[in-house]
Amino acid sequence: DGGITQSPKYLFRKEGQNVTLSCEQNLNHDAMYWYRQDPGQGLRLIYYSQIVNDFQKGDIAEGYSVSREKKESFPLTVTSAQKNPTAFYLCASASDRLYNSPLHFGNGTRLTVT
Amino acid sequence: QKEVEQNSGPLSVPEGAIASLNCTYSDRGSQSFFWYRQYSGKSPELIMFIYSNGDKEDGRFTAQLNKASQYVSLLIRDSQPSDSATYLCAVNVNDYKLSFGAGTTVTVRA
């Protein structure tokens, strides 16, 4: 079955530690995205990548980093510079530009930093 | 002004009734509009997308788009308890960016 796999489902870290969230897709989609969701709020875009070896900052990129070395993989690192890292992180992908292809989401990673 | 605004909710409807969800957007250049359903603790799942003015029906769901008035709505007919969820409206800002509303929580009363 094709889909987007995020791991782990739950992640706990101490403040000051960097942490990397995994996202893998086997949909052969070119574009991949990372969103953050806080309780009662809509999704906010962190980073996106249109093709391999290229990515752009979204609306809230500060304190995060990404890489896109393979088409299937788009890991997100939450660095210690991120002020409020506790959130629900969603990886998504799309086959083409968003005006003619919808966004599909993975199951998410819930990160708690204490 | 937020890019995408949804009616605040929560919206409570009896089983079998029609649930009506509204969404307005600020960018007149937006071309594609999406409705996602999100159950508590889960990730969003796509239920409808619409690109042209008018209505688009899929089972019990109907999306309505009015670009002149800059709104898109979602109707859920014959609401079921399984429709209880938060519904997110999303609008494309450019080729690779969607702007999401905060969501409207729907509760269907049995």
Side-chain angles (χ1 to χ4, degrees):
Chain A
D1 273 342
I4 302 170
T5 302
Q6 290 188 243
S7 60
K9 186 174 181 179
Y10 298 97
L11 193 53
F12 298 88
R13 281 293 183 270
K14 294 290 187 185
E15 197 173 305
Q17 293 178 334
N18 292 354
V19 60
T20 297
L21 282 59
S22 170
C23 178
E24 303 278 331
Q25 55 101 357
N26 60 4
L27 300 167
N28 199 34
H29 285 176
D30 286 319
M32 296 188 73
Y33 301 78
W34 275 104
Y35 285 87
R36 168 182 173 142
Q37 187 175 35
D38 294 283
Q41 297 191 32
L43 278 62
R44 293 184 290 168
L45 181 63
I46 305 172
Y47 269 97
Y48 65 99
S49 169
Q50 300 171 32
I51 55 172
V52 175
N53 293 321
D54 186 48
F55 48 83
Q56 283 78 41
K57 293 181 178 180
D59 299 320
I60 56 165
E62 186 176 348
Y64 299 97
S65 65
V66 293
S67 62
R68 187 87 187 274
E69 297 175 1
K70 298 186 300 181
K71 186 175 185 178
E72 307 79 35
S73 178
F74 191 40
L76 173 74
T77 297
V78 184
T79 75
S80 56
Q82 168 51 232
K83 300 296 183 192
N84 298 293
T86 296
F88 188 38
Y89 289 88
L90 290 157
C91 179
S93 70
S95 59
D96 199 346
R97 292 175 174 82
L98 291 173
Y99 64 76
N100 62 8
S101 65
L103 207 56
H104 297 276
F105 288 91
N107 288 332
T109 292
R110 200 167 294 277
L111 174 64
T112 302
V113 177
T114 58
Chain B
Q1 182 188 2
K2 291 183 181 178
E3 291 178 324
V4 178
E5 298 205 47
Q6 298 185 236
N7 41 347
S8 54
L11 180 65
S12 180
V13 298
E15 186 173 354
I18 295 175
S20 177
L21 308 173
N22 296 318
C23 173
T24 58
Y25 60 94
S26 60
D27 186 351
R28 282 197 171 274
S30 295
Q31 299 173 291
S32 50
F33 308 85
F34 305 88
W35 283 100
Y36 287 86
R37 178 177 61 199
Q38 187 175 26
Y39 292 114
S40 181
K42 303 294 186 182
S43 63
E45 56 179 322
L46 180 72
I47 53 173
M48 291 284 290
F49 60 90
I50 185 167
Y51 304 129
S52 304
N53 273 331
D55 294 0
K56 179 181 179 182
E57 189 174 314
D58 184 0
R60 296 185 295 108
F61 298 97
T62 299
Q64 299 173 317
L65 175 61
N66 184 323
K67 289 185 179 180
S69 300
Q70 294 177 245
Y71 84 79
V72 55
S73 62
L74 180 71
L75 300 178
I76 308 173
R77 293 184 302 282
D78 187 23
S79 296
Q80 302 297 308
S82 60
D83 295 325
S84 297
T86 296
Y87 291 80
L88 302 172
C89 172
V91 177
N92 83 300
V93 175
N94 57 38
D95 285 353
Y96 291 97
K97 183 181 175 184
L98 289 186
S99 183
F100 283 83
T104 299
T105 298
V106 174
T107 300
V108 180
R109 309 186 305 269

